[in-house]
Amino acid sequence: MTKTLYHEEIGGGYTMQRHITIDAADLRDTFGHIEIMALTDDGDELDSATVTNEAAALVEFNRMLQKYAGPLQKAMNAADLKHGHRYTLVYLSEFGFPVAQKITFDSMSFTTYAQHSDVVKMVFTPFRKRTKYSRRFYNSSLMIFEGWQDMDESATNEILKDDGEIKITKSKYGCFSASYIEDLEKLFTNPVMIYKNYKTGVNGKVYA
């Protein structure tokens, strides 16, 4: 029986990117080797390699991922996040303001979402939670730092009033501003991955 050592799927769905399957099949019991292949749904072989051990198979598998995956997927694959390790994720929320989320990492996989092909689904346990959650990251910047770290409120907000009873703050920048990412990159320590997906609007402003 063929055993799959590593498997990932890229593109397809409702996206414009063709669906590619990358698979490492353990054929050592019958043929004495491990075969790694990148195939389209039509059966076209895009890339292949034959090795004799799992370490070499992982090297070839990652090489093919780096060749065919999207930019965020490539960055996440290269980050080599470890199951059970603690990390701090820094990104912009759906409303465009910074979030520093402390997690215990479980797993990740490549996927698609609507028209987006460069999507990573991450499974993790949030700080002070017991239940695992999943979140899709796509079309935005993402930074990952080693360990659990806190975000200093002063890094992202200005205090307009604080008289002991009432505290009023104002965000330093507009929503989705790339300046949040630039400032927070300097604030946190021990980066594991820095992925910046900046875009320039018609108004000339840079968004993350």
Side-chain angles (χ1 to χ4, degrees):
M1 181 180 292
T2 301
K3 176 184 177 182
T4 298
L5 298 177
Y6 313 109
H7 178 87
E8 196 62 81
E9 298 184 25
I10 300 168
Y14 294 101
T15 75
M16 297 297 291
Q17 181 177 334
R18 60 182 172 177
H19 182 238
I20 298 173
T21 299
I22 303 176
D23 191 81
D26 190 349
L27 306 175
R28 285 176 292 184
D29 288 345
T30 51
F31 298 106
H33 64 258
I34 301 170
E35 189 171 73
I36 308 93
M37 300 183 70
L39 298 170
T40 68
D41 284 348
D42 294 330
D44 295 331
E45 182 180 312
L46 302 177
D47 202 339
S48 65
T50 301
V51 299
T52 57
N53 60 76
E54 293 186 23
L58 182 58
V59 170
E60 287 298 322
F61 181 79
N62 285 332
R63 178 185 66 81
M64 294 184 195
L65 283 182
Q66 290 294 318
K67 185 175 181 180
Y68 296 108
L72 174 60
Q73 293 169 337
K74 290 179 180 179
M76 291 289 287
N77 179 65
D80 193 25
L81 302 180
K82 306 297 184 183
H83 173 80
H85 280 221
R86 294 176 175 179
Y87 300 101
T88 300
L89 311 179
V90 178
Y91 55 92
L92 300 185
S93 71
E94 290 82 355
F95 301 103
F97 295 101
V99 173
Q101 186 172 23
K102 294 182 283 189
I103 69 161
T104 300
F105 178 75
D106 182 81
S107 61
M108 73 170 192
S109 59
F110 297 168
T111 185
T112 62
Y113 181 66
Q115 76 273 22
H116 302 285
S117 60
D118 187 15
V119 183
V120 175
K121 179 183 178 181
M122 185 185 296
V123 179
F124 55 86
T125 304
F127 178 60
R128 291 181 176 172
K129 301 287 186 181
R130 294 185 178 181
T131 304
K132 291 179 183 178
Y133 290 75
S134 66
R135 181 182 177 87
R136 287 186 294 249
F137 293 94
Y138 61 94
N139 198 36
S140 61
S141 300
L142 173 64
M143 299 188 292
I144 303 176
F145 299 89
E146 188 74 39
W148 286 347
Q149 303 182 42
D150 294 311
M151 180 168 61
D152 186 350
E153 184 183 20
S154 64
T156 58
N157 295 301
E158 298 175 351
I159 298 176
L160 301 180
K161 179 181 179 181
D162 188 359
D163 59 10
E165 295 182 0
I166 299 176
K167 184 176 182 180
I168 301 175
T169 63
K170 176 185 176 182
S171 298
K172 284 186 175 180
Y173 311 110
C175 57
F176 297 104
S177 173
S179 296
Y180 286 125
I181 299 297
E182 294 298 313
D183 288 355
L184 294 174
E185 182 183 0
K186 301 170 186 175
L187 174 67
F188 290 89
T189 60
N190 301 321
V192 176
M193 185 195 82
I194 305 293
Y195 176 75
K196 299 177 180 179
N197 185 31
Y198 292 174
K199 311 171 190 67
T200 303
V202 294
N203 57 2
K205 293 183 178 181
V206 180
Y207 297 96

